[in-house]
Amino acid sequence: MIGRIEELKHLEALYNSNKFEFLVMYGRRRIGKTTLLQEFAKDKNAIFYPAQAKNDALNLEDFSKMIQLKLDGMFISSFKTWKDAFEYIDRKINKRTLIIIDEFPFIAEENPTIKSILQHTIDHLWKNNKNIFLVLCGSSVSFMESEVMGRKSPLHDRQTSNLEVLPFDYLDSSLFFPKFTNEQKLLAYGILGGVPRYLEAFDDNISLDQNIAERIIKNGAYLHEEPSNLLKAELREPNTYNSILSAIANGKNKVQEIADYIHESNSKVSKYLTVLQSIRLIDKNVPCGENSNSRKGIYQITDNLFKFWFRFEFTNNAYYEMLGTNNAVKEIMASIPEFMGEAFEGICKEYLIRQAKKGKLPFVPYKIGKWWGNNPEIRAQDDVDILMFDKSGKKAIFVECKYTSKKMPIEEYNDLKTAMKAFPNIKEKYIYFFSKSGYSDSVIRCAKKDNAVLFTLKDLFLNT
């Protein structure tokens, strides 16, 4: 199994506890929750029940069969109620047992009373049973947060731990492609993001061009309609969500811009954007250091595959069919350097977060993100690709990221130095650069003078 070291440590600690534990695990579809739980449970005394989208009676019958075969070695008949099933577990378990109910929302949506039944069982039986480690897992992030852990849920505050399973970062994602060069690994991540199921769709025995052609553009390929299929499974009115994501992928990142692009009202767009945030497909970003309700906030797609798909495939599907797969890929690859600019900034940010956790930055960042706004020094708008402040707000790291085929010229170096002048109150300033293709001699000379740090692709893949 690739990655998930910290998640497995967390699960092991709960399993080795000498008391009742109740973990709520959640994460968007395809993120690898079931694989993680299967890996964890393989050497444990475990009952693993994968709930299905069927009526309550059939789920209860299947659950009854599973726990009876595990705890009694035979199946007699289905329990009449979930309460009976949970009480049976309490009576029968006499050693540490892991009980996993995967895709719990399938059950709870059919039978909302199961939450109250579980709450009563935990309060009156299981919380005193040190042999039980319960895991409720679900792919509906909003359901797990509101209907399981939310204040109005009967199960509120009953969990002893919770775990959101997140996409891999660029470094863990690169482990899927040992045969790729460092640049190819970053390109694959920029196109696919860190969702394990998407990463598994590419093959490092063939070129990236071939992977895009055969695994995304070609009709019938798994990733050809994956974003659309996921939206259909998750949401009502997927067409509106498709339109919003297409707008964002094509540079319309404010509510008014999106509304104008798709010919809908601002209020409707705002409502749909909130839903897309809740399922972890978009984020609202504000300039680093500003309040979260800043009017400068913009929306960005967080999933790289969705960003790629809506930027290219969704927008140009009919055109690509007429153009032919190979020619379509040639056209896409010509735009990849521009597309990778934002993805590369995200990669550099992930690298810096890893460095911060290792204590290898000048300080632990309290705030980190992109900055844009007015620079009084030049009386014009300016930006910094990545800005990091310490907790006091007196120290900052200024970062520029360049994903181009040429060595970074001195003009780019000076642009960052100019942007730094927009922050006269920062007492300690550190300068970092990331460049895919290295640096000009003049940049190297100036960096030595300013104690600026110059990172290359090789640095991103060193042991961090």
Side-chain angles (χ1 to χ4, degrees), residues 168-384:
F168 290 129
D169 71 358
Y170 81 95
L171 197 57
D172 282 339
S173 296
S174 72
L175 300 176
F176 285 79
F177 310 115
K179 296 179 183 178
F180 279 170
T181 65
N182 288 343
E183 184 175 346
Q184 288 172 325
K185 290 173 181 177
L186 293 189
L187 278 166
Y189 180 71
I191 294 166
L192 300 170
V195 174
R197 184 63 186 87
Y198 303 161
L199 292 163
E200 290 169 349
F202 267 29
D203 180 359
D204 62 358
N205 289 301
I206 59 177
S207 70
L208 276 167
D209 295 42
Q210 287 177 284
N211 273 294
I212 294 170
E214 297 175 13
R215 310 302 164 92
I216 300 179
I217 303 302
K218 184 179 178 181
N219 280 326
Y222 168 64
L223 297 179
H224 182 67
E225 294 186 353
E226 163 61 12
S228 178
N229 290 337
L230 188 143
L231 291 175
K232 288 175 184 176
E234 287 274 356
L235 305 165
R236 299 173 184 174
E237 299 184 68
N239 290 347
T240 304
Y241 290 103
N242 281 333
S243 300
I244 290 172
L245 288 166
S246 177
I248 298 172
N250 285 282
K252 314 300 181 184
N253 49 30
K254 294 187 176 181
V255 173
Q256 186 66 60
E257 293 174 346
I258 298 168
D260 290 344
Y261 188 86
I262 69 171
H263 307 293
E264 295 284 3
S265 68
N266 286 17
S267 58
K268 182 173 183 178
V269 167
S270 295
K271 176 184 173 184
Y272 281 59
L273 288 170
T274 299
V275 174
L276 287 170
Q277 285 178 277
S278 75
I279 60 174
R280 307 299 194 260
L281 287 182
I282 68 169
D283 260 345
K284 182 182 180 182
N285 297 319
V286 300
C288 183
E290 295 197 15
N291 194 287
S292 60
N293 59 8
S294 169
R295 292 184 178 181
K296 298 178 184 176
I298 60 173
Y299 291 91
Q300 293 178 302
I301 299 174
T302 55
D303 182 282
N304 286 357
L305 176 68
F306 276 67
K307 196 181 302 179
F308 177 90
W309 194 83
F310 279 99
R311 167 70 174 79
F312 295 108
E313 175 62 26
F314 182 80
T315 305
N316 302 297
N317 179 263
Y319 171 62
Y320 286 165
E321 286 202 15
M322 291 186 290
L323 197 61
T325 300
N326 292 333
N327 287 328
V329 171
K330 287 180 183 177
E331 192 162 302
I332 289 169
M333 293 307 290
S335 300
I336 280 292
E338 177 192 355
F339 172 80
M340 278 294 294
E342 186 179 314
F344 189 57
E345 290 177 16
I347 288 165
C348 297
K349 181 179 174 182
E350 290 171 358
Y351 170 82
L352 292 168
I353 289 172
R354 279 182 171 262
Q355 294 294 88
K357 290 178 178 179
K358 296 279 189 178
K360 293 184 178 180
L361 297 184
F363 55 82
V364 176
Y366 188 68
K367 294 180 179 178
I368 179 170
K370 191 178 181 70
W371 175 84
W372 62 95
N374 183 60
N375 186 343
E377 181 71 20
I378 58 174
R379 297 181 181 179
Q381 291 295 300
D382 214 340
D383 67 88
V384 178

Side-chain angles (χ1 to χ4, degrees), residues 123-163:
D123 288 352
H124 296 277
L125 295 175
W126 287 2
K127 73 176 183 181
N128 297 315
N129 192 331
K130 65 181 182 180
N131 289 322
I132 294 178
F133 175 17
L134 172 67
V135 178
L136 298 185
C137 184
S139 295
S140 174
V141 174
S142 58
F143 185 94
M144 298 301 285
E145 288 186 333
S146 62
E147 300 297 321
V148 176
M149 296 186 292
R151 289 186 177 276
K152 294 182 179 180
S153 169
L155 289 169
H156 176 65
D157 271 353
R158 266 60 184 190
Q159 78 272 13
T160 59
S161 185
N162 60 77
L163 175 63

Side-chain angles (χ1 to χ4, degrees), residues 27-94:
R28 49 165 293 191
R29 294 180 191 274
R30 320 286 197 258
I31 207 69
K33 301 180 301 299
T34 300
T35 301
L36 172 61
L37 288 171
Q38 288 172 337
E39 175 69 18
F40 170 64
K42 68 182 182 182
D43 61 349
K44 306 289 189 301
N45 183 44
I47 298 170
F48 195 123
Y49 179 65
Q52 298 180 53
K54 52 189 178 184
N55 69 35
D56 185 59
L58 289 177
N59 264 315
L60 177 56
E61 181 177 351
D62 289 347
F63 184 73
S64 300
K65 184 179 297 183
M66 182 166 287
I67 62 175
Q68 288 179 33
L69 288 171
K70 176 69 177 181
L71 300 176
D72 261 334
M74 65 179 71
F75 172 61
I76 300 174
S77 64
S78 176
F79 293 106
K80 292 182 179 179
T81 67
W82 287 99
K83 179 175 179 289
D84 293 336
F86 296 148
E87 288 178 349
Y88 167 84
I89 288 171
D90 187 67
R91 290 194 308 272
K92 289 288 184 177
I93 285 180
N94 54 19

